[in-house]
Amino acid sequence: QEIQTVILEKGNSRRIKVNLDITGVGSGVADSMAAWKKNNNRRDVEINEISFGGTANNEETFDNVVTEMYFNTKEWIEKYNPEIPSDDITATQLCRRTYFIDNRKSRYRIEPKDIFKKRTGNSPDRADAFVLMIYEKPQTGILGFGKRK
């Protein structure tokens, strides 16, 4: 409901990208957004369904999409030095999420959410939402066919 309200407030002036985590209950949100888009003929809204545990675009470097999103966010911040609203909770979550190199695959892997929760007593929900917000889903082939959805 909140996403739809924000889209309606923006109007039809430009394309609106909505990244949705479809892991767990997120799939229901994605279904609801797709139905809303269709029922309201909103061709200006691009809905990207992203599974945090899904395959990374750069499979040789990252173990999954969520790891790739965190590393891409780090690079984005270093490159563009954006003005980010001050939010101590999000900043803390972004900085406290650890990663390791999977010895079997020699790829980076972000600390699983359940381990982060046990270690810190909190869920990294705000940090996950932040990296999801700026994530650019890779384009597939010319006709939309490709390795990744």
Side-chain angles (χ1 to χ4, degrees):
Q1 187 72 27
E2 290 180 35
I3 297 170
Q4 295 160 357
T5 302
V6 170
I7 291 171
L8 290 173
E9 289 173 1
K10 283 189 164 243
N12 293 326
S13 61
R14 62 184 195 141
R15 190 142 187 82
I16 300 166
K17 176 184 77 169
V18 179
N19 288 342
L20 297 173
D21 174 17
I22 60 168
T23 308
V25 297
S27 62
V29 174
D31 291 344
S32 176
M33 279 298 300
W36 176 86
K37 177 182 172 177
K38 181 180 179 182
N39 293 338
N40 291 281
N41 197 30
R42 294 301 301 257
R43 292 189 182 119
D44 60 320
V45 177
E46 173 188 344
I47 299 172
N48 295 315
E49 297 181 3
I50 300 162
S51 173
F52 274 31
T55 304
N57 185 51
N58 182 348
E59 292 179 66
E60 291 185 17
T61 305
F62 305 111
D63 193 55
N64 53 31
V65 170
V66 70
T67 302
E68 187 171 47
M69 288 194 301
Y70 271 82
F71 275 84
N72 287 349
T73 298
K74 175 186 176 290
E75 290 177 7
W76 178 77
I77 290 170
E78 289 172 347
K79 183 176 180 179
Y80 296 107
N81 193 25
E83 286 191 37
I84 300 171
S86 180
D87 175 0
D88 291 342
I89 295 171
T90 303
T92 299
Q93 290 176 5
L94 285 167
C95 293
R96 292 189 73 191
R97 194 107 184 238
T98 62
Y99 67 90
F100 57 94
I101 296 176
D102 185 326
N103 289 330
R104 293 175 295 129
K105 303 174 188 172
S106 297
R107 298 188 295 196
Y108 290 106
R109 181 172 185 153
I110 197 116
E111 172 183 41
K113 189 178 225 177
D114 60 333
I115 293 175
F116 180 90
K117 286 181 189 179
K118 286 178 188 173
R119 187 172 58 79
T120 67
N122 297 299
S123 179
D125 292 336
R126 288 191 185 185
D128 285 353
F130 184 80
V131 301
L132 182 64
M133 175 184 68
I134 64 168
Y135 181 63
E136 290 292 331
K137 191 170 181 180
Q139 297 297 315
T140 54
I142 295 171
L143 299 175
F145 300 105
K147 188 169 160 272
R148 292 236 0 238
K149 292 181 182 178

